[in-house]
Amino acid sequence: MAENLKRLVSNEALRTLQEKLDSWLKEYNTNTCDQNLNHCLELIEQVAKVQGQLFGILTTAAQEGGRNDGVETIKSRLLPWLEASFTAASMGKPVDSKVPSLQDTFDRERRKDPSRRDRDAQQLDANLNSTWSQLNQVQDDLAETEKNLEETKNRSAISLLAAEEEINQLKKQLKSLQAQEDARHRNTDHRSSEKRRGEPRSSEQRRSEQRSSIKRNADQRDTEATSDYEKQLRNLKEEIAVLSAEKSGLQGRCSRSRSPSPAPRSRSRSASPSTAVKVRSPSPNRSKLSSVARKAALLSRFSDSYSQARLDAQCLLRRCIDKAETVQRIIYIATVEAFHVAKMAFRHFKIRVRKSLTPSYAGSNDFENAVSDYVVCHLDLYDSQSSVNDVIRAMNVNPKISFPPVVDFCLLSDFIQEICCIAFAMQALEPPLDIAYGADGEVFNDCKYRRSYDSDFTAPLVLYHVWPALMENDCVIMKGEAVTKRGAFMSRSRSPSPIRCGLPRF
């Protein structure tokens, strides 16, 4: 830059420009129009050369300052001056004294509030810190979700291995029974042939009929034993398919997880029936109850949960949430998730019972009846607290709940535990009871639901559900409750749910 500046000084362009201006001023009145224009163009060309050299020096000086140095100077002094000059030139007006000079612009910018840039920098730093905090929270949630998914996969794999092992044992027992039956047939034929040698030929027809009868009886027993084992194999295969479907569902639910429940995970889902057989005795009161009596008692408990426990849970949530719709949605989702988790726990419990009772009832036709009796007599082995933790984890990732930041779903632990116990006991009935599937926006079904008092009784669609309907196979045995309103789905916004922050339990 110093060399360019020296060359500009040595050319003495500015001094020559002043001399030409003085000479032109003296000769202006005597010159022709063409001569004056030529003088003016020469001066413009000389000024342009000087400006080109100055802009070159400006570029070199800016490059020597680094990446960011000089930016404020160019913004505060050069750009405003260029804007005012070129605006005046484009409009055909001369640049008068009102156009601010470079020094005036610089002085005006310097007199502005110097703390504005500091405030902008502080705001940017705060935004950056907030972004980093959210990123760390998302990473923590992702790690916890992966951990939960791995634990779920391990449990499912263990259940599948246990079922496969039980199938292999049943196949071995079936082969052993078939071998015993074949050996017994051979011995029977051998004894029959020996008796035929000592008997007169007149009784040959009678012995043939006896032999045919014995063979038919043996074939009938073989067929019954084979059909019994095939039935058990089909049941085990169906349970394996159910477990595989549950595993896929759990993997999908855990991949959408944002934050796990703060409730601790219990050691196991339920007590092992193999150890319980040695230390527990069947409950005499429960074992004497018939299926009809147990069903009536469970229906009464379910009705009490709707009329009393649900209202108590609403009172707890209304202390933290003002919107009644959100409270009712939370309770309905808690009920649905409780039934889902309880059904899964019952299937796992029944599989463990079958595995424990197989050695004692090998080859018996009463195996399924023994399993059902044991389950009914030992319903108190159900680990309901573990199911409560699973339900709370599922509610924390349910997209229909707006995650109010001032409430913890652990407030509903007692309500969820009662629903889980009812749902678990309903699976032991014959046939089992379950709740109806409900979706927001479905057509209102008067056979399944009652309208809430604040519903629009002319609306055909369900806005949201308050309580699920109870089903036996495809028949409704207890109606649920739903809210219907017109135009609700068009007016509702689709804004994403806010991220729920970790809060201490109440």
Side-chain angles (χ1 to χ4, degrees):
M1 191 272 292
E3 296 297 331
N4 295 332
L5 185 58
K6 290 179 180 180
R7 285 197 297 269
L8 179 61
V9 174
S10 63
N11 288 335
E12 297 182 354
L14 296 177
R15 296 178 183 176
T16 306
L17 179 62
Q18 184 64 34
E19 294 176 357
K20 288 184 179 181
L21 285 173
D22 294 337
S23 175
W24 185 24
L25 179 61
K26 295 176 181 179
E27 298 175 357
Y28 183 82
N29 294 325
T30 60
N31 291 337
T32 63
C33 179
D34 292 337
Q35 289 177 347
N36 289 331
L37 290 177
N38 289 328
H39 284 298
C40 184
L41 290 175
E42 289 178 359
L43 293 174
I44 290 174
E45 291 176 355
Q46 190 169 359
V47 169
K49 291 179 181 179
V50 174
Q51 285 183 346
Q53 293 177 1
L54 290 174
F55 274 105
I57 295 173
L58 178 65
T59 302
T60 305
Q63 291 176 353
E64 291 177 354
R67 183 178 181 85
N68 297 321
D69 291 346
V71 175
E72 293 296 331
T73 302
I74 294 175
K75 289 171 58 178
S76 61
R77 297 192 62 182
L78 180 61
L79 295 182
W81 178 80
L82 290 176
E83 180 184 4
S85 300
F86 281 104
T87 302
S90 62
M91 296 177 64
K93 297 179 180 180
V95 180
D96 54 8
S97 59
K98 295 182 180 180
V99 178
S101 64
L102 295 178
Q103 186 63 34
D104 295 338
T105 305
F106 175 73
D107 294 338
R108 186 175 62 256
E109 293 294 332
R110 188 174 56 183
R111 285 193 299 269
K112 288 184 178 180
D113 187 7
S115 62
R116 185 178 61 182
R117 287 183 297 176
D118 296 338
R119 289 196 300 269
D120 294 341
Q122 291 176 358
Q123 183 66 27
L124 290 175
D125 291 339
N127 294 337
L128 181 61
N129 294 332
S130 176
T131 303
W132 276 110
S133 178
Q134 293 180 0
L135 179 61
N136 293 332
Q137 183 179 0
V138 171
Q139 291 177 349
D140 295 339
D141 295 343
L142 180 60
E144 187 67 23
T145 302
E146 291 177 353
K147 182 180 178 181
N148 293 337
L149 178 60
E150 189 65 26
E151 292 177 357
T152 304
K153 290 170 60 179
N154 293 335
R155 290 199 305 271
S156 301
I158 292 173
S159 301
L160 291 175
L161 290 176
E164 291 177 357
E165 182 180 357
E166 188 172 356
I167 291 174
N168 293 331
Q169 291 179 357
L170 290 175
K171 288 182 179 179
K172 292 180 181 178
Q173 292 177 3
L174 179 61
K175 291 181 180 179
S176 177
L177 289 176
Q178 290 177 350
Q180 293 177 4
E181 291 294 330
D182 293 339
R184 189 171 59 81
H185 286 319
R186 287 194 296 268
N187 293 334
T188 303
D189 294 339
H190 181 67
R191 287 194 299 269
S192 299
S193 62
E194 289 180 352
K195 289 180 181 180
R196 281 199 305 270
R197 294 192 189 100
E199 292 179 354
R201 296 185 59 86
S202 60
S203 61
E204 182 177 356
Q205 185 176 2
R206 181 171 55 86
R207 290 195 302 270
S208 177
E209 292 177 356
Q210 292 178 354
R211 187 168 59 252
S212 300
S213 177
I214 293 173
K215 186 175 182 180
R216 284 195 300 271
N217 293 333
D219 291 340
Q220 184 177 2
R221 287 193 297 270
D222 292 343
T223 303
E224 292 176 355
T226 303
S227 62
D228 183 56
Y229 279 103
E230 288 178 352
K231 181 179 179 181
Q232 295 181 13
L233 286 173
R234 285 196 300 271
N235 292 335
L236 290 173
K237 290 180 179 179
E238 291 176 358
E239 291 179 355
I240 290 174
V242 171
L243 289 173
S244 301
E246 291 175 356
K247 177 182 177 182
S248 301
L250 286 173
Q251 289 177 351
R253 290 162 66 96
C254 293
S255 64
R256 298 188 300 269
S257 175
R258 284 195 293 266
S259 60
S261 171
R265 181 183 292 272
S266 61
R267 290 181 179 270
S268 61
R269 185 175 295 271
S270 61
S272 176
S274 61
T275 58
V277 174
K278 300 179 182 179
V279 299
R280 299 294 298 244
S281 60
S283 174
N285 295 329
R286 184 180 289 115
S287 61
K288 292 179 182 178
L289 290 176
S290 63
S291 178
V292 176
R294 288 188 288 113
K295 178 180 177 181
L298 290 174
L299 290 178
S300 178
R301 288 179 64 183
F302 189 76
S303 178
D304 293 340
S305 298
Y306 167 74
S307 59
Q308 185 60 42
R310 179 180 66 91
L311 299 180
D312 294 340
Q314 284 186 2
C315 292
L316 288 175
L317 290 178
R318 288 302 294 268
R319 298 175 184 174
C320 307
I321 306 173
D322 296 330
K323 192 173 182 181
E325 177 183 345
T326 304
V327 172
Q328 293 177 342
R329 282 180 180 273
I330 291 174
I331 294 176
Y332 175 79
I333 290 173
T335 305
V336 174
E337 293 293 344
F339 263 84
H340 176 73
V341 172
K343 288 192 294 182
M344 290 177 57
F346 182 83
R347 290 168 187 165
H348 289 292
F349 180 74
K350 198 169 184 179
I351 289 173
R352 289 192 292 271
V353 170
R354 284 179 174 171
K355 186 176 180 180
S356 301
L357 298 181
T358 298
S360 301
Y361 290 86
S364 176
N365 295 330
D366 297 330
F367 178 74
E368 291 295 330
N369 294 332
V371 171
S372 300
D373 293 341
Y374 182 88
V375 170
V376 171
C377 294
H378 294 82
L379 290 176
D380 52 350
L381 293 176
Y382 173 47
D383 185 7
S384 58
Q385 185 58 46
S386 177
S387 295
V388 171
N389 297 336
D390 292 341
V391 171
I392 293 176
R393 275 191 291 271
M395 293 175 65
N396 285 331
V397 300
N398 194 297
K400 292 184 180 180
I401 306 176
S402 60
F403 299 128
V406 294
V407 67
D408 191 339
F409 293 140
C410 293
L411 287 172
L412 304 177
S413 295
D414 295 338
F415 172 80
I416 294 173
Q417 187 173 18
E418 176 64 12
I419 299 298
C420 287
C421 293
I422 295 174
F424 188 88
M426 284 182 175
Q427 305 309 305
L429 298 174
E430 188 62 29
L433 303 182
D434 198 0
I435 58 175
Y437 173 80
D440 295 347
E442 68 178 354
V443 179
F444 178 79
N445 189 346
D446 189 66
C447 298
K448 287 185 179 181
Y449 301 102
R450 296 185 298 272
R451 298 179 191 264
S452 292
Y453 69 92
D454 55 346
S455 297
D456 185 354
F457 285 79
T458 62
L461 301 181
V462 175
L463 177 61
Y464 64 91
H465 295 79
V466 177
W467 192 254
L470 194 61
M471 308 287 291
E472 182 178 2
N473 291 332
D474 294 331
C475 300
V476 179
I477 61 176
M478 188 174 292
K479 282 188 176 183
E481 184 178 345
V483 177
T484 58
K485 287 186 180 179
R486 286 187 177 273
F489 293 95
M490 293 185 293
S491 61
R492 290 178 61 190
S493 63
R494 297 182 177 268
S495 59
S497 300
I499 298 176
R500 182 179 181 178
C501 57
L503 294 173
R505 297 186 183 179
F506 290 89

